[in-house]
Amino acid sequence: MEPEKIKRLDFKQDEFPQPEYIPLKYPILLCHGFGAILSMLLPSPLHHPCMFLREHGIVAFAPNIAPYVSLEVGAAAWVKIIGKVIRMTGSPKVNVIAHSMAGLSLRYAIHKVKLAGTISSLTTVASPHHGTSLATMAIESPKQAFETFQKLSDYVGNKIYPTLESDVMGAIKQLTPDYVAKFNREITDVRGVSYYSVSAASGKETENNIGLIMIPYNRYIYAREGQNDGFVSERSAHWGRHIGFTNLSHLGQLNVNLPKKYLKNWETLWMDIVKNLSNEGH
């Protein structure tokens, strides 16, 4: 090799080439929301974010509960898991990051079970804190079509997680804007727990594409609520202190069928969440 070419080569190495270490006071519990398809494709719907956080030195867990259950049943299941995580880690508290419907279940659990002593923070990602018109559409769809969807979903849900009876109808009813408005009047934030939220929008009237299968949902919600991620509108996802926005779709937030060009956005989403927790002393 010519001397001039050798001079242009850069052999300098980073002092710390591994992923950035993010110090947290408490471990993270990642809670998944509504839907069974991902449970058949991955160890858990939030498996990818969990493993990404572990690469950054964070003690993180992404367990499974039944994919189609009411907020009350989901809340009870997550309360049991929080107890298990605390026993496993020896930590007095956990930080919860809840995706989609799980955000409502965890708010319910914190309020009803008085979990301020065991939960330091709740960060919700694209949770329908003000409902989603998609749930209303499902309920108002032709009876025969919805009953077929309900029977199939409950069958799959019971096969995936047989210890809790699937209830897709009960879950969808609790996601309508009317129901969540009543929920919000009763389920208030609890002192001692920090509430953060991240909203999202992609597809129509944004610069990011949305998956082909989600285009009809995206357009339906847009006509009624504005920009959305295919399941939840950007404005519906606001709760507590709004700490961020992502232009990833609802499934893209979980790194499912995510084009490589959006991978950096995905990493930024999860890094920003945990850096906020670190900065806030959680």
Side-chain angles (χ1 to χ4, degrees):
M1 186 179 289
E2 298 174 12
E4 284 300 317
K5 289 185 179 180
I6 293 175
K7 286 180 183 179
R8 289 198 296 270
L9 292 175
D10 186 4
F11 294 103
K12 184 181 177 181
Q13 291 185 319
D14 292 335
E15 186 174 15
F16 290 97
Q18 291 77 33
E20 180 183 359
Y21 168 65
I22 311 293
L24 290 181
K25 190 174 181 180
Y26 305 114
I28 283 180
L29 171 64
L30 294 147
C31 300
H32 69 81
F34 179 94
I37 294 176
L38 296 185
S39 298
M40 295 187 286
L41 302 176
L42 299 168
S44 76
L46 283 157
H47 181 72
H48 290 319
C50 182
M51 300 314 292
F52 176 71
L53 297 186
R54 287 188 178 188
E55 288 178 1
H56 292 271
I58 295 168
V59 179
F61 303 89
N64 291 300
I65 69 163
Y68 301 118
V69 289
S70 68
L71 296 174
E72 297 85 353
V73 173
W78 289 120
V79 168
K80 288 181 180 179
I81 285 177
I82 288 168
K84 290 179 181 179
V85 171
I86 286 175
R87 289 193 294 274
M88 278 192 295
T89 62
S91 174
K93 294 185 179 184
V94 297
N95 291 306
V96 176
I97 302 176
H99 184 252
S100 195
M101 187 178 182
L104 301 182
S105 289
L106 267 297
R107 283 178 50 207
Y108 182 93
I110 294 169
H111 177 96
K112 290 291 187 180
V113 190
K114 311 298 183 190
L115 294 180
T118 54
I119 292 182
S120 179
S121 67
L122 171 63
T123 303
T124 60
V125 181
S127 289
H129 292 294
H130 304 282
T132 172
S133 52
L134 205 59
T136 307
M137 179 195 76
I139 292 171
E140 293 177 351
S141 61
K143 185 177 179 182
Q144 186 174 358
F146 187 76
E147 284 181 351
T148 301
F149 165 75
Q150 179 186 353
K151 288 177 183 177
L152 178 61
S153 298
D154 283 339
Y155 174 80
V156 172
N158 288 329
K159 287 292 184 182
I160 290 174
Y161 204 92
T163 56
L164 281 178
E165 186 175 355
S166 184
D167 181 15
V168 70
M169 173 64 93
I172 290 176
K173 282 183 176 179
Q174 291 182 325
L175 293 175
T176 63
D178 287 344
Y179 182 90
V180 181
K182 296 175 185 176
F183 175 90
N184 288 340
R185 288 193 289 270
E186 179 187 351
I187 306 302
T188 55
D189 293 352
V190 173
R191 222 171 178 183
V193 178
S194 297
Y195 293 78
Y196 308 108
S197 62
V198 176
S199 58
S202 56
K204 188 170 176 60
E205 297 301 323
T206 73
E207 295 180 357
N208 269 30
N209 296 329
I210 198 164
L212 201 61
I213 197 169
M214 297 173 72
I215 289 176
Y217 304 149
N218 181 241
R219 291 178 176 175
Y220 183 88
I221 298 172
Y222 183 86
R224 290 153 183 81
E225 301 178 59
Q227 291 187 349
N228 63 89
D229 66 0
F231 284 98
V232 177
S233 72
E234 195 278 331
R235 66 187 184 193
S236 183
H238 287 240
W239 193 264
R241 180 153 72 85
H242 183 249
I243 60 168
F245 167 84
T246 180
N247 55 9
L248 298 174
S249 72
H250 207 70
L251 295 179
Q253 295 151 25
L254 308 180
N255 195 7
V256 174
N257 293 328
L258 186 67
K260 285 185 178 179
K261 64 179 180 178
Y262 297 140
L263 184 59
K264 188 64 179 175
N265 300 32
W266 180 81
E267 292 176 347
T268 298
L269 163 65
W270 293 98
M271 283 293 284
D272 284 351
I273 290 172
V274 293
K275 282 184 175 180
N276 174 67
L277 295 176
S278 180
N279 293 337
E280 295 295 331
H282 298 293

